[in-house]
Amino acid sequence: MEQMPPSLSATPRWRYWHARAVAATTGDDAAAPLFAEIAALRDFYGYLAADRLKQPYNLNVRGPRRSNAAAQTALSNQPGLIRARELFDCDMTEDAISEWTAVLDGADTALKVQAALLASRWGWYAQAITTLAQTGEFDDVTLRYPRPYLDAVSEAGKLAQLPQDWILAVMRQESLFRKDAVSRADCARRDAIGALHGLCDRPPLALVLTRS
């Protein structure tokens, strides 16, 4: 660690492994303060540190962004966004994204946050997540990780005997909840990750393995 540049040694990854090394060589008591320094981070290694301390994860969830109805109304009345919404409703998502981008390219952070909230209201979750990411507002976990289609997800969970959160996680990771998302992988990969939005015609490989 001492030989590393600060840009590496200060990252959660290496701070965690430093703590692990201290735990292995000096003891858990000596390592506990080092784990505590990163255990509250919303980060993979922060969660591992929290596990070592037997603490709950801290998602650092900030309350919902202040919704500006006037700003969202003004946005929704712009011709480009009117077209974007109609195209999205017609499942012409790529054309909708082009219209959306043309309107919001160069917009400031505050306006993009309102646009993300607007897209979420429309049920256009992928665009809400993508637009919010452009602002750096990563602590708005509720907007970044929505929970749509819960009736379908609940039914899928029962059929596959999987927790709803697992299915929602795969949906977000693989498609950002895009209804038109199509896997370009072969069937072997689809067996491994599950089909579009969680379930394949055949049981996912991981599910088969857990039952064997």
Side-chain angles (χ1 to χ4, degrees):
M1 289 288 292
E2 294 177 355
Q3 302 299 317
M4 283 185 176
S7 59
L8 281 180
S9 62
T11 62
R13 177 198 297 263
W14 289 110
R15 291 168 69 187
Y16 171 78
W17 287 114
H18 178 217
R20 284 291 300 270
V22 171
T25 58
T26 309
D28 290 340
D29 289 344
L34 301 175
F35 286 124
E37 290 177 0
I38 61 173
L41 298 178
R42 190 179 65 239
D43 178 89
F44 176 71
Y45 290 95
Y47 301 152
L48 291 181
D51 285 341
R52 300 287 296 194
L53 297 175
K54 297 181 172 55
Q55 294 179 357
Y57 300 153
N58 186 348
L59 299 180
N60 299 305
V61 179
R62 190 181 57 225
R65 298 285 302 185
R66 184 184 296 268
S67 183
N68 186 324
Q72 291 178 40
T73 298
L75 280 169
S76 65
N77 287 333
Q78 292 201 36
L81 291 195
I82 292 173
R83 291 191 295 270
R85 185 176 188 182
E86 294 301 323
L87 289 164
F88 171 71
D89 287 342
C90 291
D91 294 327
M92 300 174 66
T93 307
E94 295 302 326
D95 293 323
I97 291 173
S98 295
E99 293 286 356
W100 179 277
T101 303
V103 172
L104 290 168
D105 187 37
D108 61 24
T109 294
L111 189 60
K112 284 189 174 181
V113 167
Q114 297 305 315
L117 290 164
L118 179 64
S120 182
R121 281 177 42 205
W122 291 352
W124 196 358
Y125 303 108
Q127 205 60 25
I129 294 167
T130 301
T131 302
L132 191 67
Q134 295 170 5
T135 71
E137 295 285 342
F138 298 118
D139 289 338
D140 196 336
V141 176
T142 302
L143 191 55
R144 291 181 62 214
Y145 294 89
R147 299 174 62 82
Y149 317 125
L150 284 182
D151 289 343
V153 169
S154 176
E155 184 63 25
K158 293 175 184 176
L159 289 172
Q161 300 180 39
L162 289 172
Q164 291 185 25
D165 287 343
W166 287 20
I167 296 174
L168 287 165
V170 172
M171 291 167 67
R172 188 190 187 282
Q173 178 65 27
E174 296 297 322
S175 69
L176 289 182
F177 305 104
R178 281 185 60 160
K179 295 183 293 183
D180 63 335
V182 177
S183 174
R184 297 178 182 176
D186 59 20
C187 193
R189 174 168 166 76
R190 286 191 288 114
D191 280 340
I193 66 172
L196 175 65
H197 289 172
L199 300 175
C200 191
D201 291 336
R202 290 173 286 174
L205 178 59
L207 184 59
V208 174
L209 292 176
T210 60
R211 292 176 175 173
S212 62

